[in-house]
Amino acid sequence: MIARYSRPEMTALWTEDTRLTLWLEVELAACQAFVEEGTMPAEALQRIRAGAEVRPARVAEIEAITRHDVAAFVQHLEEQVGEADGRFLHLGLTSSDVLDTTFALQLTRAGALLLGGIDRIMSAIRTRAMEHRHTVMVGRSHGIHAEPTTVGHVLAIWYDEMRRNRRRMEAAIETVRVGKFSGSVGTFTNVTPTVEARACALLGLEPAPASNQVIQRDRHAEYFSACAIVASSLEKFAVQIRHWQRTEVMEAEEKFHSGQKGSSSMPHKRNPVLTENVTGLARLVRAAVIPALENVALWHERDISHSSVERVIAPDTTIHLDFALHRLASVVENLVFYPDNMRKNLEKTHGLVFSQRVLMALLEKGSGREAAYKMVQRNAMQAWERGSSFPELVRQDTDIRALLSDDDLHACFDLQTNLRHIDVILERVFST
């Protein structure tokens, strides 16, 4: 992670200070659970709370000797509170009780920030969809003009997709929102299940129903997979905006700010740099999925092959996705649309976008499909090759006119006929 693609709210979750502070929070939750169970004096917990202070520099000094981060942390706490009270710290716990429970807190809190970013982009998409619900543009398949659509329809599709992404993210957060205080192989040899339940409740977590030395990594694989799907959706939207901004298309563009420069050498350039940035960040987020999946298979009750992976992918993935969400939300909020250019592009193929309506009208009048297809296609190919008006060619085709009246053809080439259900679509998307 680098500062250029980071927001401070998310970055703060992954600092060393935060990590050690959460370790202390987890240790204190265990102590509180012991007090409630009657196996630790309340006065000892009071003294620990008053005397324990996270000192990252001292932890690092001790770790240089112990070569074990959690052991160094516990030792540094005992230095502060004394042996008499320090003996209650980390009582019956294993390192992964602290590490994995802390990881759950970090991922859950990171997830809340990601949901905030999703909400922001959904709000932006909805606002712009309502603004341009009837702004007509050409729909494309394979990059080729297909049939008319509207900006509102395109954005409604985006909104619906992000709503699914929100549900995925909510489910993934709930999946990782589990802690463990079950000891070295998860059998509660030195800690009771009630201590675990109490400690997890204090932290806002659920206890893992069953664990070995670690919380099982399929949970985390689901989380990072959900992040990757969100990122892929963002890239999809970003690529669409980049296409709209192409000089030959110019149907929409990122807001170009006063004083902004698009190129060091070409003063005329206005490039889609923000959406290109989102595309790149999406690649980084997706890159976490395979390592997360490979972390699922650990040796027996646990090895630490997952540890180094998670130290990298957890901060990087959440930070990059958080940044991409807010970057693209800002792009959508400020996106400049060019309806006149959309109409010009729609008309570039001289009415070919209405070919299916003519085909359907012929079928409704009793024509066979193959015969109708040939009638429409021969006129469409002339329009393609000669730049002729497709509606005029159709009106001059005696075979077609034998079946379709002027009123029939007027309906075929009427945009309102083609787009008459747009409001129904938007109602279905935005009413829920």
Side-chain angles (χ1 to χ4, degrees), residues 133-160:
R133 63 191 302 154
H134 295 138
T135 300
V136 179
M137 69 189 314
V138 67
R140 298 171 173 90
S141 59
H142 303 274
I144 308 302
H145 285 200
E147 292 187 333
T149 185
T150 72
V151 174
H153 180 213
V154 172
L155 296 182
I157 293 170
W158 294 8
Y159 185 91
D160 197 36

Side-chain angles (χ1 to χ4, degrees), residues 399-418:
D399 293 332
I400 293 176
R401 291 312 304 269
L403 294 168
L404 301 182
S405 67
D406 287 339
D407 288 343
D408 293 331
L409 290 176
H410 176 77
C412 289
F413 300 122
D414 179 25
L415 274 172
Q416 297 311 311
T417 301
N418 284 262

Side-chain angles (χ1 to χ4, degrees), residues 366-421:
S367 174
R369 171 169 289 276
E370 187 62 21
Y373 196 99
K374 287 180 178 179
M375 281 188 275
V376 177
Q377 188 181 47
R378 72 178 176 230
N379 288 286
M381 293 304 103
Q382 286 188 57
W384 269 117
E385 293 161 9
R386 301 177 187 175
S388 304
S389 166
F390 176 68
E392 288 306 311
L393 289 170
V394 167
R395 289 188 175 98
Q396 295 167 14
D397 188 301
T398 55
D399 293 332
I400 293 176
R401 291 312 304 269
L403 294 168
L404 301 182
S405 67
D406 287 339
D407 288 343
D408 293 331
L409 290 176
H410 176 77
C412 289
F413 300 122
D414 179 25
L415 274 172
Q416 297 311 311
T417 301
N418 284 262
L419 301 174
R420 64 192 182 280
H421 299 304

Side-chain angles (χ1 to χ4, degrees), residues 22-185:
L22 289 175
W23 285 6
L24 178 58
E25 189 177 330
V26 170
E27 293 281 3
L28 292 175
C31 288
Q32 179 66 46
F34 283 127
V35 169
E36 292 177 5
E37 196 165 81
T39 55
M40 176 179 174
E43 297 79 6
L45 176 56
Q46 291 174 356
R47 289 190 294 270
I48 290 172
R49 288 189 184 280
E53 180 184 352
V54 172
R55 299 173 182 172
R58 179 55 183 153
V59 176
E61 288 177 1
I62 300 172
E63 186 180 353
I65 299 170
T66 63
R67 298 178 182 272
H68 193 292
D69 51 1
V70 177
F73 177 74
V74 174
Q75 182 178 332
H76 122 280
L77 291 181
E78 187 178 29
E79 288 178 347
Q80 298 173 56
V81 304
E83 289 186 3
D85 291 330
R87 65 193 178 91
F88 292 109
L89 289 164
H90 208 65
L91 187 64
L93 305 184
T94 190
S95 296
S96 290
D97 290 332
V98 177
L99 294 172
D100 281 6
T101 304
T102 292
F103 197 33
L105 292 172
Q106 288 176 301
L107 291 177
T108 300
R109 295 174 188 183
L113 290 176
L114 294 175
L115 290 177
I118 291 173
D119 288 343
R120 180 185 173 190
I121 196 168
M122 288 179 70
S123 176
I125 292 170
R126 182 188 186 112
T127 297
R128 303 314 300 274
M130 292 299 101
E131 179 186 350
H132 290 282
R133 63 191 302 154
H134 295 138
T135 300
V136 179
M137 69 189 314
V138 67
R140 298 171 173 90
S141 59
H142 303 274
I144 308 302
H145 285 200
E147 292 187 333
T149 185
T150 72
V151 174
H153 180 213
V154 172
L155 296 182
I157 293 170
W158 294 8
Y159 185 91
D160 197 36
E161 185 165 338
M162 287 307 298
R163 180 162 50 200
R164 291 193 297 276
N165 280 326
R166 195 184 201 289
R167 291 169 183 158
R168 290 186 189 104
M169 203 69 231
E170 287 175 330
I173 293 168
E174 191 62 21
T175 297
V176 297
R177 195 180 62 82
V178 296
K180 73 171 290 281
F181 293 83
S182 53
S184 298
V185 294

Side-chain angles (χ1 to χ4, degrees), residues 154-303:
V154 172
L155 296 182
I157 293 170
W158 294 8
Y159 185 91
D160 197 36
E161 185 165 338
M162 287 307 298
R163 180 162 50 200
R164 291 193 297 276
N165 280 326
R166 195 184 201 289
R167 291 169 183 158
R168 290 186 189 104
M169 203 69 231
E170 287 175 330
I173 293 168
E174 191 62 21
T175 297
V176 297
R177 195 180 62 82
V178 296
K180 73 171 290 281
F181 293 83
S182 53
S184 298
V185 294
T187 56
F188 297 101
T189 302
N190 300 298
V191 181
T192 66
T194 54
V195 164
E196 179 184 70
R198 291 175 186 272
C200 284
L202 289 167
L203 296 168
L205 303 175
E206 294 293 329
S211 61
N212 43 40
Q213 192 171 106
V214 295
I215 291 172
Q216 303 308 288
R217 260 44 197 180
D218 66 287
R219 295 179 179 271
H220 307 84
E222 179 182 338
Y223 185 96
F224 291 112
S225 295
C227 288
I229 296 172
V230 175
S232 292
S233 294
L234 299 185
E235 182 181 12
K236 167 185 170 179
F237 310 154
V239 168
Q240 179 81 311
I241 293 170
R242 289 167 59 193
H243 172 76
W244 284 339
Q245 190 161 337
R246 290 174 59 190
T247 306
E248 305 92 310
V249 179
M250 194 45 66
E251 293 179 346
E253 69 171 339
E254 297 174 8
K255 183 176 176 59
F256 196 80
H257 296 273
S258 176
Q260 184 175 344
K261 295 181 179 180
S263 168
S264 63
S265 59
M266 295 172 284
H268 72 278
K269 293 301 273 344
R270 289 156 66 119
N271 302 325
V273 292
L274 302 179
T275 44
E276 289 173 343
N277 174 233
V278 170
T279 296
L281 291 173
R283 296 170 185 167
L284 293 175
V285 174
R286 284 195 297 271
V289 174
I290 296 301
L293 291 171
E294 292 177 341
N295 277 352
V296 174
L298 304 178
W299 284 15
H300 302 288
E301 276 58 59
R302 182 234 184 173
D303 62 56

